[in-house]
Amino acid sequence: MTTKQLFGKRIVLGVGGSIAAYKAILLLRRLTDLGADVEVVMTASARQFITPLTFQTLSGHPVHTDLFATDDNMTHLRLAETADLILVSPATANLIGRFAQGLADDLLSTLILASHAPLLLVPAMDGGMWQHPLVQQNVKTLRETGVEVLDPEFGTLASGHIGWGRFPSEETIMSSIISLLTMPGDYHNEVLLITAGPTHEAIDPVRYITNRSSGKMGYALAQSAQKRGAQVTFITGPTSLTPPPGVHTISVSTAEEMQDEVHKHFARATVVIMAAAVADYRLTHPAETKLKKQGQKHLSLALSLTPDIVGNLAAKKTGQFMVGFAAETENLIEEATRKLKEKGLDMIVANDVTQPDAGFGSDTNAAIVLDAHGIVEDMPLMPKRGMAMKILDLIRVCLDNRQ
Ligand SMILES: Cc1cc2nc3c(=O)[nH]c(=O)nc-3n(C[C@H](O)[C@H](O)[C@H](O)COP(=O)(O)O)c2cc1C
């Protein structure tokens, strides 16, 4: 990270009425240290938690609080038109609801509607509020409209309860801000085929075999590639995530369905990233009706290999750059090298899923990237979004070297 990476970037920092409002001060400091010009807008509730003076001193600008301020009643348009990014941090449940409904009843909501700048929301709230179906519906609506909404983290909340709703780490927020503001358009000539998530292999109509994949790495890759200008076809197994806006998303359930879709879209692709954790086995004969206990102590299920999606593509390859993933619990490098060779991949991203905060389910990952010559890069623990950008950087270098 260069010291003045955000020099020349104009950011509007909206602060909502959350107990986490003080954390916006630390963010403001980080942003101005990187050279960004930040103007702060506080909601009336935010001012109950913290006074504007600190923001004003650190930003070097007066803090905006009033849509109808008599000194400058066009503030909302000036801020809307000149911002490179609108960051709302913390974003309350109330703000999320108002933005999702397109309301414009204070300075912050009005300037958001008036602006074409990317909008990044950093939610912070009580776990019960975050998980409320109406809040989740509002978040979904915003994400579908192209608004970036970070997921809050799990942990101890201001109420003393433990749950989802915690303000995300400063590193996660900074990495999202930097990628939104410094996104290169270096993939605009590429057609990417990306897979993500687990597969579900039926045992009977109500049960299935699956794995712990959350899909977050593949979703981050699809979103980042699309933002860098790629045309993305995204094939996802069952996850709880919202498909990235602007990405052609195809939902599948089983390994076989995933293979069918991958084969359909393979010929057009220039880069294929197989981030899905596809089940290796499925039931040879899934039951047509629900299996009953019937008193037996043990139950054996006959399993058969699922199709080797990546391996089966080798014969169809017409120059696609192929990237695979290897989630391992031991002999990481050996296993990844074996897969790279056996499956004819150009690059493999290997991660040790026994490491805390790396791999399945978490928002962060650590991985080693290998190609036929050995280790390309050892990536330390970082947000999956940041890792997606780094993987795309590495692929870009390989594509450029090929030409
Ligand atoms: C002590 C206290 C802490 C609060 N913390 C939060 C919070 O973290 N997140 C949230 O969504 N609302 C929180 N609220 C509720 C909001 O302040 C309230 O919904 C307010 O209307 C939000 O206004 P705004 O969205 O315009 O900033 C809190 C309220 C109080 C009294």
Side-chain angles (χ1 to χ4, degrees):
M1 196 184 280
T2 56
T3 39
K4 295 289 176 195
Q5 203 174 4
L6 298 182
F7 182 76
K9 301 291 180 192
R10 291 182 48 82
I11 299 175
V12 171
L13 169 59
V15 182
S18 153
I19 197 75
Y22 71 95
K23 295 190 178 173
I25 294 171
L26 306 174
L27 266 184
L28 169 60
R29 193 60 206 256
R30 290 280 300 267
L31 294 170
T32 53
D33 281 351
L34 289 179
D37 183 17
V38 187
E39 289 201 51
V40 178
V41 175
M42 296 179 78
T43 66
S45 306
R47 281 175 283 141
Q48 297 289 329
F49 290 83
I50 186 163
T51 63
L53 185 62
T54 316
F55 287 118
Q56 179 170 322
T57 310
L58 290 176
S59 69
H61 294 288
V63 170
H64 309 284
T65 54
D66 186 1
L67 178 60
F68 301 104
T70 46
D71 53 339
D72 179 6
N73 54 16
M74 285 299 166
T75 307
H76 65 290
L77 293 184
R78 181 181 61 77
L79 292 176
E81 283 160 14
T82 56
D84 295 305
L85 172 72
I86 301 176
L87 164 70
V88 181
S89 173
T92 58
N94 176 55
L95 282 173
I96 288 171
R98 280 163 48 225
F99 300 156
Q101 299 307 313
L103 297 184
D105 55 0
D106 69 357
L107 178 59
L108 184 56
S109 50
T110 306
L111 81 88
I112 281 174
L113 275 194
S115 181
H116 295 295
L119 175 59
L120 173 63
L121 305 184
V122 186
M125 64 194 73
D126 176 68
M129 284 172 101
W130 174 251
Q131 277 164 343
H132 193 288
L134 290 174
V135 174
Q136 287 301 308
Q137 182 57 50
N138 290 333
V139 169
K140 188 165 176 272
T141 304
L142 287 166
R143 285 180 173 156
E144 283 168 358
T145 328
V147 176
E148 183 122 5
V149 186
L150 295 190
D151 283 317
E153 291 178 359
F154 187 84
T156 308
L157 304 167
S159 58
H161 296 136
I162 293 180
W164 293 99
R166 238 178 108 85
F167 193 71
S169 76
E170 220 175 280
E171 286 320 310
T172 302
I173 302 168
M174 287 305 294
S175 118
S176 299
I177 294 170
I178 289 166
S179 60
L180 276 169
L181 283 172
T182 57
M183 198 80 69
D186 55 354
Y187 270 80
H188 66 271
N189 283 331
E190 309 297 342
V191 180
L192 266 71
L193 175 59
I194 301 176
T195 67
T199 60
H200 285 181
E201 310 299 332
I203 296 173
D204 65 16
V206 297
R207 303 178 180 95
Y208 51 79
I209 299 174
T210 190
N211 56 57
R212 294 181 191 277
S213 166
S214 64
K216 285 180 184 168
M217 193 66 236
Y219 276 67
L221 280 161
Q223 185 164 33
S224 305
Q226 193 265 344
K227 289 197 166 150
R228 286 170 75 152
Q231 232 188 83
V232 183
T233 299
F234 183 50
I235 303 171
T236 172
T239 74
S240 59
L241 306 172
T242 310
V247 166
H248 175 216
T249 303
I250 299 163
S251 298
V252 297
S253 185
T254 65
E256 211 158 304
E257 286 168 17
M258 187 167 279
Q259 163 152 290
D260 288 348
E261 291 299 335
V262 167
H263 280 248
K264 263 188 226 165
H265 295 91
F266 184 70
R268 273 191 70 234
T270 57
V271 178
V272 180
I273 309 179
M274 309 292 277
V278 180
D280 291 324
Y281 287 92
R282 64 181 173 83
L283 254 74
T284 312
H285 300 292
E288 277 174 17
T289 53
K290 186 180 164 192
L291 292 176
K292 297 276 190 295
K293 245 194 273 177
Q294 289 172 342
Q296 75 267 43
K297 231 174 166 184
H298 301 285
L299 173 69
S300 300
L301 301 173
L303 301 178
S304 309
L305 269 177
T306 55
D308 176 3
I309 301 181
V310 187
N312 292 346
L313 289 173
K316 297 192 163 198
K317 242 176 122 173
T318 51
Q320 286 86 351
F321 189 87
M322 304 270 296
V323 183
F325 272 72
E328 303 293 343
T329 54
E330 53 190 356
N331 305 330
L332 183 64
I333 307 283
E334 293 82 348
E335 281 305 307
T337 308
R338 183 183 59 76
K339 277 189 188 163
L340 179 90
K341 289 188 179 145
E342 274 180 21
K343 296 182 189 280
L345 295 168
D346 297 291
M347 185 182 274
I348 193 157
V349 183
N351 63 325
D352 176 353
V353 285
T354 60
Q355 271 193 55
D357 296 329
F360 291 154
S362 79
D363 285 322
T364 50
N365 209 356
I368 294 175
V369 180
L370 299 127
D371 69 7
H373 307 291
I375 295 179
V376 176
E377 187 145 331
D378 188 348
M379 296 197 267
L381 197 67
M382 64 179 80
K384 283 183 174 168
R385 285 157 191 270
M387 183 169 287
M389 292 302 270
K390 280 194 177 293
I391 293 170
L392 291 173
D393 289 346
L394 294 174
I395 298 173
R396 186 65 261 169
V397 171
C398 295
L399 295 174
D400 292 343
N401 287 343
R402 270 178 162 188
Q403 284 160 9

